[in-house]
Amino acid sequence: MRPLVPSYVETLKPYVPGKPIEETEREFGLKGVIKLASNENPLGPSPRAVEAMRTAAAATHLYPDATSFHLVRRLATHVGVRPEEVVLGSGSNELIELLIRTFTTPEDELLLCKGSFSAYRISAQAHGRPFVEVPMREGYQYDLEAMARAVTPRTRMVFLANPDNPTGTAFGRKALEAFLAAVPPDVMVVHDEAYFEFVEWPEYASAVELFRKHPNLVALRTFSKIHGLAGVRLGYGVMDAKLAGYIHRTRMPFNLTVVAQAGGMAALEDAEHVRRTRDTNRQGLRYFGEELPKLGATLTHSHANFVFADFHRSGVELYDLLLRKGVIVRPFANQGFPTCLRISVGTPAENERCVKALREIFA
Ligand SMILES: Cc1ncc(COP(=O)(O)O)c(C=O)c1O
């Protein structure tokens, strides 16, 4: 008998999401558990988006606009590109899948950074695409020079998370441009900018500024982080119109819900919510940057909405101790970081609670 699934599905280890609050409360008999585990927006969604989605809920008996006409146009104006250069997805995660499905064959190879965002590896394997992983360099940084050297005639697509998840590190314009110059133009370079709105580093460059000069470059962005709409599933890609056209051929016609389209439109109008989110994040990064080293942790310079802390002891054990105190964070032992935790920036009260729990554990 033939196997039920291809071998690459048989051996596929699914994505491990952050542990849900409700499950933790049930398991440990706790109340008031806080989750600093999935880089969500601690201020919640934009109130304007909530209002728009409430209104849109009344029209959910109808199929959504398959072209997301209004959101695509609004977003194109917001980003400063043409509507034909924008593709929406059910989270940027769907766009990762769509890029792999549309532009690669099982004979092609994907090039990834070892230890970076696991969705690239999982999506590659789920599609039966071979991938090569290049280790990070010192300081949990992408090694773009080694990645450029690892390109072979089989390489078809490269994923770069910038800022990176889970390490929070980033690389600047010069490094990105040098990489683009070193990579053949028929290798697609996907620059994942899920956290770009949190970056306050003048040397950072978005692929949106560079994709006209480099038509093999794609920018991926999301409403899950700064806009606080992770539960709605809304992401977008900015790319050459020809590439976008191919994705429109392969995507599901109704990949964006009525609610997501309405929420996205309203979120883009709420500059105040974005500003407050950025301020809260800056304050939280500073707080963790001051407090966690006092507990012996070494932090990377995070450009995102989380910190990546090496506690120099078992991360899984520490994660477990924090769970018992009602604080959910994220260990990364299975991604090659056995002594590190990723802690999302929460509200000031949540951040303090996390530090207090750590102090008690270390006391
Ligand atoms: C680097 C990176 N890319 C993409 C995503 C996916 O975001 P979403 O599918 O919610 O848009 C995440 C989520 O954590 C991420 O960290």
Side-chain angles (χ1 to χ4, degrees):
M1 212 168 74
R2 282 177 298 183
L4 216 48
V5 290
S7 60
Y8 53 82
V9 174
E10 192 61 62
T11 56
L12 184 58
K13 291 200 184 77
Y15 181 75
V16 185
K19 200 171 169 72
I21 289 177
E22 210 249 333
E23 184 184 307
T24 311
E25 293 188 337
R26 222 179 323 119
E27 217 169 282
F28 295 95
L30 296 167
K31 284 236 157 24
V33 165
I34 60 165
K35 183 177 171 211
L36 303 176
S38 299
N39 308 336
E40 292 147 337
N41 189 324
L43 304 183
S46 141
R48 291 172 73 161
V50 173
E51 189 51 42
M53 291 190 288
R54 196 172 282 131
T55 305
T60 45
H61 60 301
L62 300 174
Y63 280 100
D65 171 4
T67 64
S68 301
F69 182 88
H70 296 291
L71 181 55
V72 165
R73 267 149 196 80
R74 178 69 191 80
L75 202 47
T77 306
H78 182 78
V79 175
V81 298
R82 291 187 286 125
E84 306 79 61
E85 293 165 331
V86 174
V87 183
L88 300 178
S90 175
S92 50
N93 227 305
E94 190 195 16
L95 288 161
I96 294 168
E97 298 251 322
L98 283 169
L99 287 165
I100 292 173
R101 179 160 108 203
T102 309
F103 296 106
T104 69
T105 72
E107 283 70 49
D108 296 325
E109 220 165 64
L110 280 85
L111 186 59
L112 310 176
C113 168
K114 195 170 171 56
S116 183
F117 189 43
S118 61
Y120 312 141
R121 181 172 34 83
I122 293 169
S123 299
Q125 189 171 340
H127 287 82
R129 308 298 196 252
F131 55 89
V132 171
E133 294 185 291
V134 176
M136 289 185 183
R137 61 183 174 82
E138 213 181 313
Y140 304 109
Q141 296 268 353
Y142 262 62
D143 191 342
L144 290 177
E145 287 173 13
M147 287 184 82
R149 283 195 301 273
V151 171
T152 72
R154 286 192 68 184
T155 311
R156 184 79 178 130
M157 187 174 282
V158 187
F159 278 94
L160 308 175
N162 191 27
D164 179 44
N165 173 15
T167 68
T169 61
F171 51 85
R173 171 189 294 272
K174 268 197 201 136
L176 177 58
E177 286 188 328
F179 183 75
L180 290 166
V183 165
D186 62 351
V187 173
M188 187 177 284
V189 178
V190 184
H191 194 250
D192 184 341
E193 307 179 356
Y195 303 97
F196 91 98
E197 292 100 334
F198 297 104
V199 177
E200 304 193 311
W201 183 38
E203 282 169 47
Y204 180 83
S206 163
V208 169
E209 302 165 36
L210 299 169
F211 81 100
R212 294 250 170 71
K213 189 171 160 209
H214 301 276
N216 58 328
L217 180 63
V218 170
L220 286 189
R221 292 180 174 180
T222 181
F223 282 69
S224 297
K225 310 298 172 185
I226 199 113
H227 295 295
L229 293 176
V232 167
R233 314 305 301 126
L234 178 54
Y236 63 101
V238 176
M239 65 196 84
D240 184 84
K242 194 164 175 195
L243 300 182
Y246 285 118
I247 295 188
H248 286 304
R249 295 186 196 190
T250 60
R251 72 171 173 86
M252 285 191 301
F254 304 115
N255 63 336
L256 265 288
T257 66
V258 167
V259 172
Q261 292 183 36
M265 288 286 284
L268 288 176
E269 302 303 328
D270 200 343
E272 174 58 18
H273 186 258
V274 168
R275 191 193 59 74
R276 281 184 56 228
T277 303
R278 212 177 266 135
D279 287 350
T280 305
N281 191 61
R282 189 183 305 117
Q283 191 184 343
L285 286 179
R286 198 182 311 126
Y287 174 74
F288 279 132
E290 283 165 8
E291 296 303 322
L292 297 182
K294 290 184 198 163
L295 297 167
T298 310
L299 270 61
T300 61
H301 179 170
S302 174
H303 294 270
N305 63 346
F306 53 85
V307 291
F308 189 65
D310 186 347
F311 284 93
H312 310 287
R313 55 178 279 180
S314 163
V316 173
E317 213 177 276
L318 198 48
Y319 157 78
D320 216 56
L321 292 167
L322 279 168
L323 269 190
R324 284 157 211 281
K325 291 184 175 293
V327 179
I328 313 171
V329 297
R330 196 82 159 257
F332 279 89
N334 59 5
Q335 245 167 266
F337 308 111
T339 56
C340 297
L341 290 181
R342 193 192 69 196
I343 306 174
S344 307
V345 173
T347 61
E350 288 172 332
N351 303 337
E352 278 167 31
R353 176 139 166 232
C354 175
V355 167
K356 182 168 170 280
L358 283 165
R359 271 195 211 117
E360 287 167 8
I361 289 166
F362 289 127

